[in-house]
Amino acid sequence: MKYELVAGFETHVELATNTKIFCSCTTQFGGEPNTHCCPICIGLPGTLPKLNKRVVEYAIKAGLATNCEIAEISEMDRKNYCYPDLPKAYQISQFDRPLCNHGYIELSNGRKIRILRIHIEEDAGKLVHSRGSTLVDYNRGGVPLIEIVSEPDIRSIEEAREYVEKLQLIMRYIGVSDCKMQEGSMRCDVNISVRPVGSEKLGTRTEIKNMNSINFIAKAMEYEFNRQVDLIESGEKVVQETLRYDDVTNTTSGMRGKEDANDYRYFRDPDLVTINVPRSRVEEIAAELPELPAQKLKRYVEELELPEKDAQLLVKYRKVAEFFEKAAEGTKTPKTAANFIIGQIFRYVENEAEKEAMDIKVTAESLNELIKLIDNGKIRMNLAKSTLDKMLETGKKPSELISESDMAGLDENALAELCQKAVEANPNAVADYKNGKEKAIKAIVGFVMKNSRGKADAMAAEAKIKELIG
Amino acid sequence: MSESKIAGLHRMLENKEISCQELTQAYLDAMERDNGSLNAYVTATPESALETAAAVDEKLARGESIGLLEGIPMTLKDNISTDGIRTTCCSKILENYVPIYDATVWKLLRQQNAVLLGKTNMDEFAMGSSCENSCFGGAKNPHNVNHVAGGSSGGVASAVGGHLAVYGLGSDTGGSIRQPASFCGIVGMKPTYGAVSRYGLIAYASSFDQIGPITTNVEDAAIVFDAISAYDEMDSTSQGRQGEPVCRTLKNDIKGMKLGIAREYLDGVRDDVRQAVEQAAEVYRSLGAEIVFFDLPALKYALPVYYILACAEASSNLGRYDGIRYGYKAESYSDVNDMIKKTRSTGFGEEVKKRILLGTYVLSSGYYDAYYKKAQKLRGTLVSAFSDAFRSCDVILAPTVPMTAFENGHAVSDPVETYLTDICTVPVNITGLPGISVPCGYDAKGMPIGMQIIGNSFEEAKILNAAWQYENAARIYKPSDFGVKL
Amino acid sequence: MVTKEEIMKIAILSKLFVADDEIDGLTEDMGKIIAFADTINNAADEGTDFDHINHLSNVLREDVVVPSLDREKILANAKDSDEGCFLVKNIMK
């Protein structure tokens, strides 16, 4: 029998605010333990939470960017459970009335992964287990999070990968999070079940907690899919449980059963008041949203006439897309800028983090200047390419690297002289050409180009050489 | 003592009839002498009190004017956080806890050079009606030390009634200011929810808790209320006083004022208490006010609604006492879960544990709808019932407690009967309304009887006005034999 | 009626131990309190929607950093601390 994977995601994204969700301590990553703390962070008796305005705004942005409805009225609830990393023994979250509801993310295969809800909540502190003891650091406690809960609409590991990548990209585009999975600012819980292909009924699901790498997610899902299929095929039952993925052994295992079954006793937090987001405010925030990756991709392909593959490479990182748009501005064909970026600049920003930062010596304005020199016939492509390499190395502007004489081109006499030299220096190629090897002429033209340092017009040189060889 | 009112003491300080240090020392000496009998204070702060007093004296010596509360010796209930001064909630679990920040109310008073004499006794985590649920033992009634001071702010009431402080701040979740004030024959006011900041008040039940003044007379309550009722950005539920200072309208004529009496408030109330309230109504008639009777059937839901919701909130608020960051921590344990359970089981007293269990129960899955949700809806019913009542009257008159202070160790053993003593006080906490208790008589044993004046939201000015007029006309207050005699 | 098992279950959720000699008395007390609470559970009155005790909305704070407290103060009330952290010994059995 063939089985199909059914998966849903709960994704925690840390919001890039300056301060924590309920107090004015910094959210900066790192820092000595317990140095980003105040009486509110450590839940001292008598302290009260005060909601950060920007958290609400960022969550609304995230909701709008994932096609959610923004609730006019939402509320904060307490999720009660006792654990040393949770200083109040409850997490302030949203249960009954989350800020965002019923959105979706569209995948490249046209399927929509529905988003059930997005709510705001506080992060917990950090526990370090060492030598049989536990150390507790509350620096991360109170850092704002959004939890994005999808419906179980994902049907393959490829879809899962794309869903997470899209989510990450969108959040980065709208600037609400850096979504650095390795630093934990984006983490995923995945619900997985399997069912025979064609069946409508959902199987028993397991939940793999807290994964912070897309590759791990893919591996864990694959392992878990196979494990569940094996269980069913051997007549056993899948047990509903929470699992942990071990990236060393590439296996999942049940988390140690806590003494108490989860009963979070949610109730409205009496210390916080209603969040009321009028329609007009939603419209204001919507107007502030930048163009989203999906819209950009469409525009690059349809309006800028880039090949889809190129367009995808460019929209994948917000800064790359911004760089491209500035570099291509006012140029004849946007494709030229795209080629320079994908062909040459990407050699300098190889990995994800580098592309994310786009920390290179060339500015988009300089590249734009260079492309305009080509457009205006001042320089040839070959010279432009070598100049860009130099720009990437030195950070200098095209005007600093290309001299007047470079841009002047070759006059007719100089070209004729150089072509004559080329013919004399390449007797073999001349002979080949005369014997009908049309391509042999390229070698002679190449000689001209090289010796003119790219200034010569290849077409004109070829015509001149043909004239000379007769 | 001939003078124990804030305004009078303020004049004496200004006229240099007494120095602030002498005044403070007189209270410290009285505490030394009488606290053994009253057990009102659990922590005394003589050094910082005298330091503040010296600063006030210097100001006076320089000829500077001082504020009304400046240099006046006072006390705080031991659930109001004081930076650098032990704050225990009278619980073993916080026995050595020293806050690192000030509650907003204390910040406000400290800025006015209030002289803090010490922190006062209470039922553990403000849960109780006798002050006997304190890990330090209960505070005693200054009218007769064989009787309880009441609770939970029993220590403040005992100290103020026993002249070991000019005034104090208590907290009121289900009657914890008004009930001990009534038992000790003094004045206590629970302001409208949101009028006074809760920041720094160690939470019992967050949507009920409110800080308010306990004083020997109505004018002092008005002065203290004006000083502490400010909007606070640290408390999301804070609104501050709405309208002008209540002191300005305190002594206004009340001719034509309509006082409502709900029959349900008088059901099951001891005869002498009911009679005292009825006599107070007569005093009001003589002052030109009108008495109207009405029904408030929703009142029957008040007690269960209060206990369900307050305990639910408490079960969550008290989850944080796990021994890790502050407070008592179990000595030996096998793992972290064991440590937390041992800490809590040893650190909390019986009543607190019972309320945590009840609160957990009503929130747990399967029971939430039947108890918590239903109680929340009936809370809504009570809110509308009171708001309807205020269409036909200005203020509501009721007993504060159905009885007078019981003897020490005589708290009823049946848990439900114990809770029934709160029947007259919990409605204003459920509805967020302001209420004040003023003395209105004495029982056969000479123990004080209190009556309650309840107002509409943010109408503290009205209830204080009504209370002052009654106090001035009836002249019920009798000072106890304890404390400062100048 | 509240059972001993229910009391044990909520004790676990409440992170409290209930000693063997306490359980009967506690079950009885809780039974009385719950029975008392049941008077509203059985109330014919459907009730009125209750929002929040003081009907406020959008009480929000600007996203501006205020310096955190000194770590010595943060850790001052902890019974045990080490390496700048709150410490619980022997979390692992």
Side-chain angles (χ1 to χ4, degrees):
Chain A
M1 200 186 293
K2 282 206 74 168
Y3 290 90
E4 146 180 89
L5 171 88
V6 177
F9 273 74
E10 285 171 20
T11 310
H12 286 94
V13 171
E14 250 177 41
L15 297 179
T17 53
N18 298 326
T19 65
K20 295 187 179 183
I21 181 166
F22 297 121
C23 72
S24 302
C25 286
T26 179
T27 55
Q28 225 168 58
F29 187 76
E32 287 292 301
N34 295 304
T35 54
H36 298 166
C37 291
C38 72
I40 298 168
C41 300
I42 59 166
L44 277 194
T47 54
L48 297 170
K50 184 88 180 268
L51 183 58
N52 183 341
K53 195 175 179 179
R54 189 163 287 161
V55 170
V56 179
E57 283 171 11
Y58 277 10
I60 293 171
K61 278 190 178 179
L64 289 171
T66 52
N67 310 295
C68 287
E69 295 157 18
I70 308 303
E72 193 173 346
I73 299 288
S74 70
E75 292 167 357
M76 303 307 299
D77 296 299
R78 292 186 184 179
K79 179 182 183 179
N80 294 285
Y81 67 96
C82 181
Y83 204 62
D85 62 3
L86 200 60
K88 301 185 292 294
Y90 57 82
Q91 178 193 31
I92 304 178
S93 180
Q94 296 189 296
F95 183 62
D96 267 342
R97 307 178 86 170
L99 199 51
C100 315
N101 295 288
H102 311 304
Y104 64 86
I105 282 184
E106 192 171 343
L107 301 183
S108 53
N109 62 11
R111 292 195 62 231
K112 283 179 178 173
I113 307 303
R114 288 169 301 158
I115 287 171
L116 178 66
R117 55 188 280 160
I118 300 179
H119 65 253
I120 54 178
E121 61 185 24
E122 58 182 335
D123 206 348
K126 197 173 84 182
L127 300 184
V128 181
H129 305 283
S130 82
R131 284 171 278 127
S133 292
T134 298
L135 296 168
V136 198
D137 170 12
Y138 293 107
N139 279 353
R140 301 314 292 160
V143 166
L145 299 176
I146 47 174
E147 181 175 335
I148 304 163
V149 183
S150 87
E151 298 278 9
D153 287 350
I154 288 163
R155 294 289 174 270
S156 69
I157 287 162
E158 294 68 42
E159 286 189 352
R161 195 183 268 278
E162 190 184 343
Y163 171 78
V164 177
E165 280 174 354
K166 282 234 152 95
L167 215 50
Q168 195 174 31
L169 184 57
I170 291 168
M171 296 306 143
R172 286 172 177 170
Y173 256 70
I174 59 175
V176 303
S177 175
D178 58 15
C179 289
K180 288 183 185 163
M181 293 193 85
Q182 66 285 3
E183 282 184 15
S185 62
M186 184 176 184
R187 327 188 274 262
C188 296
D189 302 341
V190 191
N191 294 303
I192 299 179
S193 63
V194 299
R195 66 182 173 193
V197 171
S199 163
E200 286 294 309
K201 219 179 122 221
L202 290 171
T204 306
R205 61 175 197 176
T206 57
E207 186 181 20
I208 313 173
K209 280 275 188 197
N210 233 347
M211 287 179 288
N212 59 356
S213 136
I214 294 180
N215 285 334
F216 290 169
I217 293 171
K219 281 187 187 166
M221 288 177 75
E222 194 181 347
Y223 175 86
E224 186 56 19
F225 174 73
N226 291 329
R227 190 186 73 89
Q228 291 191 14
V229 170
D230 286 351
L231 277 176
I232 294 168
E233 299 234 296
S234 61
E236 289 176 66
K237 275 190 176 144
V238 176
V239 181
Q240 183 167 346
E241 62 182 332
T242 303
L243 303 169
R244 180 189 291 124
Y245 173 68
D246 183 331
D247 57 72
V248 178
T249 59
N250 185 30
T251 54
T252 59
S253 57
M255 285 168 85
R256 197 156 51 96
K258 284 180 191 164
E259 176 188 41
D260 31 358
N262 288 343
D263 184 347
Y264 293 126
R265 291 157 284 138
Y266 281 103
F267 71 102
R268 177 142 187 217
D269 191 336
D271 289 331
L272 288 158
V273 302
T274 305
I275 303 167
N276 183 353
V277 188
R279 225 41 277 144
S280 57
R281 183 70 191 120
V282 175
E283 279 157 22
E284 269 172 41
I285 294 173
E288 288 167 15
L289 279 184
E291 186 183 32
L292 295 171
Q295 301 164 319
K296 251 194 212 308
L297 184 71
K298 197 161 175 254
R299 183 166 63 87
Y300 285 6
V301 173
E302 289 175 6
E303 289 175 34
L304 306 184
E305 297 178 329
L306 295 185
E308 177 148 354
K309 212 177 149 198
D310 287 1
Q312 267 167 354
L313 288 172
L314 294 173
V315 300
K316 200 165 174 194
Y317 302 95
R318 187 175 96 173
K319 287 207 171 143
V320 172
E322 282 170 0
F323 189 95
F324 161 71
E325 288 180 24
K326 268 191 209 158
E329 204 184 326
T331 64
K332 278 184 187 162
T333 49
K335 178 89 173 75
T336 311
N339 287 347
F340 275 128
I341 293 168
I342 297 164
Q344 276 179 276
I345 294 180
F346 274 5
R347 273 186 262 139
Y348 287 79
V349 283
E350 286 179 315
N351 63 35
E352 178 172 302
E354 286 169 356
K355 287 194 176 83
E356 193 57 49
M358 266 307 257
D359 188 11
I360 49 170
K361 288 183 173 167
V362 174
T363 63
E365 289 76 9
S366 298
L367 181 57
N368 183 262
E369 192 186 323
L370 188 70
I371 296 167
K372 281 181 178 161
L373 288 174
I374 304 168
D375 285 353
N376 298 336
K378 300 262 181 172
I379 57 167
R380 308 283 164 212
M381 186 53 81
N382 279 352
L383 178 60
K385 281 184 181 167
S386 60
T387 304
L388 180 56
D389 278 330
K390 283 182 204 149
M391 288 160 65
L392 283 159
E393 290 299 330
T394 63
K396 287 186 176 162
K397 289 178 182 172
S399 56
E400 294 175 272
L401 293 164
I402 303 170
S403 66
E404 283 298 319
S405 70
D406 283 335
M407 283 189 281
L410 288 178
D411 63 30
E412 212 153 313
N413 288 342
L415 181 68
E417 207 174 297
L418 199 55
C419 288
Q420 183 60 43
K421 249 191 214 169
V423 169
E424 284 163 17
N426 293 284
N428 291 343
V430 173
D432 285 350
Y433 178 74
K434 283 187 174 166
N435 289 333
K437 271 196 179 171
E438 291 264 330
K439 275 188 180 170
I441 201 157
K442 297 284 176 203
I444 312 168
V445 173
F447 181 92
V448 174
M449 297 309 291
K450 196 179 168 196
N451 283 278
S452 69
R453 290 174 55 228
K455 281 196 291 178
D457 181 338
M459 299 274 278
E462 193 174 319
K464 191 75 195 167
I465 291 163
K466 279 181 184 165
E467 196 187 305
L468 286 170
I469 319 175
Chain B
M1 168 172 149
S2 58
E3 189 53 85
S4 65
K5 292 175 72 177
I6 292 171
L9 291 168
H10 172 72
R11 263 191 307 276
M12 286 172 72
L13 287 172
E14 276 200 324
N15 299 338
K16 305 212 171 69
E17 291 166 45
I18 188 169
S19 76
C20 187
Q21 288 167 90
E22 285 164 347
L23 180 66
T24 302
Q25 194 58 57
Y27 276 91
L28 291 172
D29 291 345
M31 282 162 67
E32 192 75 28
R33 188 181 65 235
D34 293 340
N35 197 51
S37 314
L38 293 176
N39 201 25
Y41 284 87
V42 296
T43 304
T45 53
E47 294 87 6
S48 59
L50 287 167
E51 229 170 83
T52 309
V56 174
D57 282 338
E58 272 173 43
K59 258 182 105 173
L60 287 163
R62 287 196 299 267
E64 288 175 41
S65 68
I66 56 168
L68 206 44
L69 291 176
E70 200 157 356
I72 306 293
M74 48 76 68
T75 186
L76 295 171
K77 185 177 182 178
D78 209 24
N79 60 354
I80 297 174
S81 301
T82 42
D83 193 349
I85 300 168
R86 182 176 83 142
T87 301
T88 68
C89 269
C90 294
S91 175
K92 180 180 168 61
I93 215 158
L94 283 177
E95 61 188 359
N96 295 314
Y97 170 62
V98 180
I100 54 170
Y101 74 102
D102 278 328
T104 298
V105 284
W106 173 230
K107 204 166 161 187
L108 288 169
L109 292 173
R110 195 170 43 82
Q111 281 162 358
Q112 297 176 54
N113 273 332
V115 174
L116 178 69
L117 298 166
K119 306 288 292 284
T120 25
N121 210 346
M122 58 187 279
D123 285 299
E124 182 181 6
F125 282 99
M127 297 177 181
S129 317
S130 68
C131 199
E132 289 175 315
N133 297 335
S134 161
C135 73
F136 300 103
K140 304 294 181 282
N141 197 304
H143 285 273
N144 183 341
V145 292
N146 294 323
H147 290 244
V148 300
S152 67
S153 315
V156 185
S158 175
V160 173
H163 308 295
L164 299 183
V166 179
Y167 70 94
L169 295 187
S171 69
D172 192 318
T173 307
S176 283
I177 286 175
R178 291 159 289 150
Q179 191 257 26
S182 169
F183 275 12
C184 294
I186 52 176
V187 175
M189 181 170 82
K190 182 208 95 84
T192 309
Y193 186 83
V196 179
S197 168
R198 291 183 295 119
Y199 193 74
L201 170 68
I202 299 180
Y204 159 18
S206 313
S207 74
F208 297 80
D209 295 343
Q210 194 54 193
I211 292 173
I214 294 179
T215 58
T216 57
N217 63 92
V218 176
E219 184 184 284
D220 285 0
I223 292 170
V224 175
F225 175 71
D226 276 338
I228 60 171
S229 50
Y231 167 75
D232 180 16
E233 58 175 19
M234 300 304 285
D235 175 359
S236 305
T237 62
S238 158
Q239 292 175 272
R241 185 182 62 245
Q242 314 285 297
E244 58 177 350
V246 293
C247 283
R248 291 194 193 149
T249 51
L250 190 63
K251 299 174 186 178
N252 284 3
D253 199 329
I254 58 163
K255 207 162 275 169
M257 186 185 266
K258 276 189 185 167
L259 288 94
I261 294 179
R263 292 174 188 91
E264 289 81 357
Y265 262 118
L266 298 172
D267 289 346
V269 164
R270 218 169 64 191
D271 284 347
D272 53 351
V273 174
R274 198 185 62 244
Q275 281 156 16
V277 174
E278 283 163 356
Q279 276 162 20
E282 286 311 310
V283 172
Y284 274 115
R285 280 204 184 95
S286 74
L287 289 167
E290 190 187 332
I291 303 292
V292 294
F293 287 87
F294 66 102
D295 294 315
L296 200 51
L299 219 52
K300 63 177 175 289
Y301 303 129
L303 264 179
V305 164
Y306 168 74
Y307 276 97
I308 289 168
L309 297 179
C311 292
E313 292 181 14
S315 71
S316 172
N317 284 332
L318 271 60
R320 69 187 66 196
Y321 302 100
D322 59 11
I324 296 174
R325 293 162 302 280
Y326 40 78
Y328 171 77
K329 184 182 189 179
E331 297 291 335
S332 65
Y333 45 84
S334 58
D335 62 11
V336 73
N337 191 44
D338 187 50
M339 184 280 284
I340 294 173
K341 287 171 95 178
K342 277 188 176 143
T343 296
R344 293 167 62 79
S345 301
T346 315
F348 288 134
E350 292 311 310
E351 184 61 29
V352 172
K353 283 194 259 190
K354 213 179 281 175
R355 293 195 196 192
I356 291 173
L357 290 172
L358 176 64
T360 306
Y361 182 86
V362 299
L363 284 174
S364 64
S365 73
Y367 299 106
Y368 177 88
D369 284 349
Y371 295 107
Y372 184 83
K373 206 170 164 193
K374 184 71 189 262
Q376 202 69 293
K377 289 206 150 201
L378 291 173
R379 188 175 193 179
T381 301
L382 277 152
V383 169
S384 352
F386 271 85
S387 119
D388 287 347
F390 285 112
R391 286 204 196 106
S392 54
C393 63
D394 295 296
V395 299
I396 294 170
L397 201 60
T400 308
V401 199
M403 66 201 73
T404 54
F406 33 86
E407 282 179 38
N408 296 327
H410 224 268
V412 211
S413 62
D414 185 283
V416 174
E417 265 183 62
T418 311
Y419 296 166
L420 286 172
T421 62
D422 299 334
I423 187 103
C424 299
T425 47
V426 295
V428 309
N429 301 87
I430 293 169
T431 52
L433 300 171
I436 186 169
S437 177
V438 288
C440 68
Y442 296 87
D443 69 7
K445 288 186 195 160
M447 297 309 290
I449 299 170
M451 71 167 183
Q452 200 179 187
I453 304 164
I454 298 162
N456 208 343
S457 258
F458 294 104
E459 292 193 346
E460 281 84 359
K462 239 183 218 177
I463 60 173
L464 283 158
N465 177 210
W468 187 88
Q469 285 294 349
Y470 169 77
E471 177 189 60
N472 190 50
R475 306 215 167 251
I476 300 290
Y477 173 70
K478 283 185 210 158
S480 75
D481 297 332
F482 287 101
V484 172
K485 292 175 180 63
L486 287 180
Chain C
M1 203 52 230
V2 189
T3 63
K4 273 188 210 176
E5 290 67 35
E6 283 174 314
I7 300 288
M8 293 312 286
K9 198 188 113 204
I10 57 170
I12 288 170
L13 282 173
S14 308
K15 297 277 172 193
L16 290 170
F17 284 117
V18 177
D20 290 343
D21 58 343
E22 286 173 354
I23 184 72
D24 286 325
L26 192 60
T27 307
E28 196 191 324
D29 272 6
M30 287 295 291
K32 282 182 187 168
I33 300 168
I34 300 292
F36 169 64
D38 274 331
T39 57
I40 68 140
N41 188 355
N42 301 328
D45 194 326
E46 271 304 304
T48 311
D49 279 337
F50 179 77
D51 170 34
H52 191 277
I53 187 68
N54 58 1
H55 312 291
L56 297 174
S57 64
N58 293 350
V59 179
L60 301 165
R61 177 174 59 75
E62 294 300 325
D63 186 28
V64 179
V65 175
V66 169
S68 295
L69 241 57
D70 283 348
R71 186 161 69 188
E72 293 70 56
K73 276 197 157 187
I74 292 295
L75 297 173
N77 277 287
K79 187 115 180 273
D80 302 300
S81 63
D82 190 21
E83 297 172 40
C85 291
F86 296 93
L87 174 71
V88 185
K89 289 175 195 151
N90 306 318
I91 187 172
M92 303 296 200
K93 278 193 190 181

